[in-house]
Structures are given as C-alpha cells and as structure tokens.
Amino acid sequence: MSTVIVVTSGKGGVGKTTTSAAFATALALRGHSTVVVDFDVGLRNLDLIMGCERRVVYDFINVINEEGNLNQALIKDKRVENLYILPASQTRDKSALTQVGVTRVMEALKERFEYIVCDSPAGIEHGAQMAMYFADVALIVTNPEVSSVRDSDRIIGMLASKTLRAEQSLDPVKEHLIISRYVPGRVNKGDMLSADDVQDILAIPLLGVVPESDAVLKASNEGVPVTFQEDSDAGQAYHDITARFVGEDRPQRFIQEQKGFFSRLFHHP
Amino acid sequence: MSHKDTPPTQTAFNLKGSMLTIMVLQLHETNLAVISEQLRSKVAQAPGLFENTPLILDLSHLSDGQASLDWQALLDLFQAQGFLPIAYSGGSLHWRSQIQDLSLPWFNSPVQANKNATPTHIPAKIVQQPVRSGQQLVAEGDLIILSMVSPGAEVLAGGNIHVYGPLHGRALAGINGDEHARIFCQKLEAELVSVSGQYQIRDELDESWFGKAAQVYLEQDNLKIQSFGV
Ligand SMILES: Nc1ncnc2c1ncn2[C@@H]1O[C@H](COP(=O)(O)OP(=O)(O)O)[C@@H](O)[C@H]1O
Ligand SMILES: [Mg+2]
C-alpha cells in the first residue's frame, strides 16, 4: 500500500519545498521507501534543496511525454537509502502536466514506493490542482499571517472537491496542518497569529510547528535538507512532524505557550 | 456521430410539468430614469447576486393613465444589470398592446406574490463541512451549516441561514425577497450580512456583537442584531 502526500498551501514562499524535502528525507531516514516529486514545473527548486540539481538528465515532463522513462528520471539520493527525487522541468510550464500523463506516472510510482511526496506549486490553478489530485493525505503549510491562512483555507476547500477522492466519493483527503516560520516572541507581541488562532480559522488538526530558523537558509544554500541538522530547531521540528505523521506521540516543542493576561500587561518589548 | 448510430429506443427528451420559483418584478413606474436609478442601487446592495437571474416583468400594477415608455430600452436596462427578462405578465389591454411586437412572450396567468401563493415546503439544505474561502453555497430555502463559514466564503439562502460554527464570511438570507428571513450564528464575525437585500458590511456592524451568538433580521427595513434570548 502506498500513500500519496501533497504538500500544499495556496500562497507561495511559505515553506512547501522546504517541508517536502525535509519530510521526505525524514521518512526515508526512518526506513520508508520514499519519492519526492516536484510539481512546480517552470520554477523547479526541489532539486536545489535536495542538492541534486547537477544530476538531472530527464525530468517529470520528459516522462509524461514519454521522452524518457521513469527510471531514467528518478534521481537516487546520495545520503539516504530509499529516497528518490523526481525533478520538474525548468523549461516548460504547468500545462505540460496532463491528466493522463500524471496519472500514468503516479500509478508507476505507487508500484514502487511506500510514500509519494508531491511538492505543489503555489496558487490554485492547474499545477496546484494536479499536485493534489491523487492525494490521500495533505500537509497544509501555512505561515502565521492572515493572507497565508486565507489561501490555505481556500486550498482545503479544493481538497474536498477537486481531488480523485472527492470525485469518486471515497474517504476524504486526510488533512494535516503545518505552521511554518513561527516566531513565538512575535506571537506574544501580537505581531503574528498564534498557533491557536490559525487552528481556529482552519479547523484541521495540527501536525506541527516549524520555527523560523537560520538553519533553513543554511540548508538550502548547501543543498542538504534541514532534516540533517539534527541539533537545529527546524531540523528537530521536521523529525517531530514526521514521527507524529507515522503515529508516534511527540510533545509540541516549538509553540511556547502564549503568555497570560498579566504577563502581557507587564511585557516591555 | 451520425443519426443512424443513435439507438432508436433512446428517449430524446422528457416533458415534465415543473414548479419553478422565478423572480417577478412588479412595475409601478414608467419613467426609465427612475427605474434605472433604483435598479442600480438594488443591484449594488448585493453585487453578483442577480447575475443571470431570469425575470418576469409584471405589468398589472401599471394604470392606463401613466406615461408610456420605450420597452426595448427597459429590457436593455435589465440586461445591463445582469437580469434575463424572459416574459411579461398581467397588465391591461392598453399596456399589452404596446408590448405585442416585442420579442418576449406574454402570459396571462396572474403572477402571485409569494406570500399569497400556497406555501410549498422547500427542504432545508444541511451542510456538514466548513464552507471555505472562495466557496459559495446557495440554498433555495433554509441553509443550515453545522460547521464554520470562513473569511472569503459566501452563503446565500432564499430562507434563513443557521451557522453553528463561527460566521466569518458573507451571509445573505432571504435573497428572493423574504423579509422575514433571519441569520442565526453561534459566533458573529461576518464580513457582510444581508436580509432581503438590506445589507451591512463588517465596518458598519455593531462591534459589540463580534464573537457572540447572534441573530440578524429586518425590522422596518433596518437590519437588527439581537441575541437569541428573550
Ligand atoms: N522555517 C523556516 N525558517 C526560515 N526560513 C524559511 C523557513 N521555511 C522556509 N524558509 C525560507 O522561505 C523561502 C520559501 O521557502 P520554500 O520552501 O521555497 O517555499 P514554497 O515552496 O512554499 O514557495 C525560502 O527562502 C526558505 O529558505
Ligand atoms: Mg516551492
């Protein structure tokens, strides 16, 4: 049995690609056979984050167009067993993601992998819809600010109508919330929505909070998913998220309780 | 596909008697400028609501003494606001003779305002899932939402609207003119509330109601917000 996971958000720049890379890596480190697929055709950068950009020969679109086969396009990660990357094409646009082609590739991936992590492009148009279409599970990545939450809400609505599961009236896509780039200090000052605020608005279960972290920038510059920085806060956050995803109990370490009325009253910035 | 490919047994269509609710506009005035002005402000109250709405023009409230008008210009005016005039009804011979050579049919059946008609029960529409940003839900009768209405979502009903979660988006009750329709919600945070075309945007709402359980209804053409308790 394989599980298709879409990492989606609506808004761009919230941490979908960072999350796709870190989460897929953490799954593979736990021994699950995993592939991470870049649906951001035309703006591919998953391969950069995964540090395999120089090894791309064939890509997702080549496989869709039968210009190359899946084995030629899948890149085996050099650091972790069981982890593969299917890169997007940089020279095409999202219309190259045909329904028939994507269906064929997803069927082939399901034969081979336990987890298929789909890194969605931003927006609500065709590319984002193709990324979510086959999903069994969705990781909704949101930043603690109003416009990001609004876009995520829109995406959650689409998961309930524009997916294969919705069309065939199967069990709905399982939704998990990831709040990324969280800064508890700014939440306390009232500059940022709290995790509770975000959950109130979106009303889906929280899988985890990823703190704003310099480790992420370092990771993406080096092409090493932040999962490998085991002593960094963001790295630990992604390990926790992955552990919860597979059913382990982990306390939420990065929310930090919102301060009560009195401490807020006496808080000097 | 050619004609001979079609199996002869296949029924090409069914004729069915049906009861439709269609919006009726009773004309009281024949001055185009006045009609135009009032129509514009009505539509502005609920932009998009009347997009492609079929409309019957009821002439029975016009008296023979009123000035005549350019009927084609009248139709154009409605179309420009998104309505689809589909027929005339009622009216004296005087008025009927004027519309005879126009494109729309006229029918005799006296159009009755809803309140006089035999009430037909329209079952409520019940929605379990949250109504998310960008979604629009329309119910002919009552609309009952067991979850929340997100910011950027819009719910519309011919009858009442009940929201058992927070109401963040837009809620429009009585969209076919029912002035007795109400909006009930457990947590009022709405971007817009409207009953029978009378609306208030968030900035106009009394802030003291935000976050509270409340009902919204019309009292002498004014929107009122009240708690549920008596
Ligand atoms: N937890 C984080 N802390 C700091 N920066 C982050 C974090 N997550 C993502 N970023 C940065 O935000 C930017 C957008 O991230 P990315 O994963 O590419 O978003 P998306 O795929 O949603 O467009 C990148 O520069 C990335 O390094
Ligand atoms: Mg991305």
Side-chain angles (χ1 to χ4, degrees):
Chain A
M1 259 300 281
S2 68
T3 304
V4 179
I5 303 156
V6 62
V7 180
T8 186
S9 70
K11 197 172 160 74
V14 297
K16 289 181 293 296
T17 301
T18 304
T19 299
S20 299
F23 176 72
T25 302
L27 280 174
L29 283 170
R30 291 176 153 263
H32 301 286
S33 107
T34 304
V35 61
V36 54
V37 184
D38 193 349
F39 274 79
D40 206 348
V41 178
L43 289 171
R44 78 170 209 224
N45 49 37
L46 180 68
D47 51 328
L48 291 172
I49 307 291
M50 295 296 295
C52 65
E53 74 280 8
R54 300 216 189 87
R55 293 162 61 210
V56 175
V57 182
Y58 291 97
D59 59 44
F60 192 3
I61 302 303
N62 292 139
V63 183
I64 284 177
N65 294 343
E66 300 185 296
E67 295 152 357
N69 67 38
L70 188 58
N71 283 330
Q72 292 171 305
L74 283 172
I75 301 175
K76 185 171 173 11
D77 190 85
K78 284 197 165 150
R79 295 162 294 235
V80 200
E81 275 298 303
N82 304 319
L83 180 60
Y84 286 79
I85 299 106
L86 183 56
S89 164
Q90 179 72 358
T91 54
R92 311 294 287 272
D93 63 46
K94 311 278 191 282
S95 63
L97 292 166
T98 61
Q99 174 110 22
V100 177
V102 176
T103 306
R104 190 164 41 75
V105 175
M106 293 305 272
E107 289 307 323
L109 292 175
K110 280 193 200 173
E111 301 269 294
R112 195 162 151 187
F113 294 98
E114 190 178 346
Y115 289 113
I116 301 158
V117 178
C118 304
D119 181 19
S120 175
I124 56 172
E125 309 304 332
H126 180 71
Q129 291 189 20
M130 286 319 298
M132 73 169 62
Y133 188 74
F134 296 93
D136 304 302
V137 181
L139 306 187
I140 320 283
V141 183
T142 303
N143 290 164
E145 44 122 5
V146 172
S147 67
S148 171
V149 174
R150 173 80 62 99
D151 289 0
S152 292
D153 192 52
R154 181 97 211 250
I155 283 287
I156 299 168
M158 292 174 68
L159 287 167
S161 60
K162 300 216 180 296
T163 53
L164 185 67
R165 283 184 168 272
E167 282 175 13
Q168 299 191 345
S169 305
L170 303 171
D171 287 344
V173 176
K174 196 160 186 245
E175 297 146 342
H176 295 285
L177 177 62
I178 294 179
I179 305 176
S180 183
R181 311 198 66 163
Y182 199 72
V183 187
R186 296 190 60 194
V187 172
N188 294 339
K189 278 198 240 166
D191 296 346
M192 212 179 235
L193 295 176
S194 72
D196 278 347
D197 293 338
V198 178
Q199 279 183 91
D200 270 356
I201 302 173
L202 294 179
I204 60 171
L206 178 70
L207 187 61
V209 169
V210 183
E212 173 79 21
S213 165
D214 290 340
V216 173
L217 185 64
K218 182 163 175 279
S220 72
N221 284 335
E222 291 174 356
V224 181
V226 72
T227 322
F228 287 106
Q229 297 184 43
E230 312 247 359
D231 51 353
S232 73
D233 47 1
Q236 290 173 11
Y238 281 113
H239 279 289
D240 282 2
I241 281 172
T242 313
R244 283 186 209 109
F245 183 84
V246 298
E248 287 175 23
D249 222 4
R250 292 276 171 105
Q252 296 282 0
R253 294 191 274 168
F254 301 100
I255 300 183
Q256 182 195 310
E257 286 302 309
Q258 225 189 324
K259 291 188 181 135
F261 176 69
F262 281 102
S263 56
R264 211 186 303 170
L265 205 63
F266 298 118
H267 178 83
H268 299 287
Chain B
M1 198 203 292
S2 77
H3 291 278
K4 52 180 189 294
D5 294 338
T6 315
T9 50
Q10 199 167 309
T11 322
F13 55 80
N14 287 318
L15 272 176
K16 289 200 168 160
S18 163
M19 293 274 287
L20 284 176
T21 319
I22 292 182
M23 204 174 282
V24 175
L25 185 132
Q26 298 172 341
L27 270 183
H28 296 284
E29 179 58 64
T30 57
N31 182 330
L32 276 181
V34 175
I35 298 171
S36 165
E37 172 65 34
Q38 292 185 12
L39 191 63
R40 221 183 297 277
S41 81
K42 192 91 191 161
V43 170
Q45 284 177 10
L49 187 60
F50 300 113
E51 207 57 55
N52 297 323
T53 303
L55 191 69
I56 291 176
L57 299 176
D58 179 8
L59 312 181
S60 56
H61 293 252
L62 295 177
S63 61
D64 291 358
Q66 281 174 282
S68 42
L69 75 163
D70 179 347
W71 291 97
Q72 191 54 54
L74 181 75
L75 295 185
D76 292 346
L77 206 150
F78 283 116
Q79 269 157 5
Q81 294 294 339
F83 292 95
L84 297 174
I86 53 166
Y88 298 101
S89 83
S92 65
L93 260 178
H94 168 78
W95 291 110
R96 270 150 54 196
S97 65
Q98 293 193 21
I99 56 161
Q100 251 166 22
D101 42 330
L102 286 167
S103 48
L104 296 188
W106 175 86
F107 61 89
N108 189 7
S109 83
V111 179
Q112 299 215 322
N114 259 352
K115 51 177 178 280
N116 305 331
T118 338
T120 41
H121 176 71
I122 307 168
K125 181 167 182 168
I126 302 176
V127 181
Q128 303 265 357
Q129 297 300 318
V131 190
R132 302 279 180 182
S133 179
Q135 293 180 333
Q136 189 192 52
L137 265 186
V138 188
E140 217 187 316
D142 285 2
L143 179 56
I144 301 172
I145 296 156
L146 302 180
S147 180
M148 64 177 183
V149 178
S150 291
E154 188 171 68
V155 293
L156 308 102
N160 306 296
I161 296 176
H162 305 252
V163 184
Y164 288 92
L167 168 58
H168 287 281
R170 297 155 63 100
L172 297 88
I175 55 170
N176 297 325
D178 181 356
E179 292 163 5
H180 300 293
R182 294 185 182 210
I183 298 166
F184 305 89
C185 61
Q186 285 294 354
K187 196 171 171 197
L188 181 67
E189 295 285 0
E191 294 169 338
L192 177 148
V193 288
S194 161
V195 175
S196 184
Q198 298 293 329
Y199 73 104
Q200 267 177 11
I201 56 173
R202 189 178 170 94
D203 283 355
E204 298 163 347
L205 291 171
D206 175 358
E207 280 179 36
S208 62
W209 287 106
F210 290 156
K212 304 206 176 111
Q215 54 172 325
V216 181
Y217 57 95
L218 271 188
E219 199 176 271
Q220 277 144 20
D221 272 2
N222 289 317
L223 276 187
K224 290 270 176 214
I225 306 181
Q226 266 304 325
S227 60
F228 298 154
V230 258

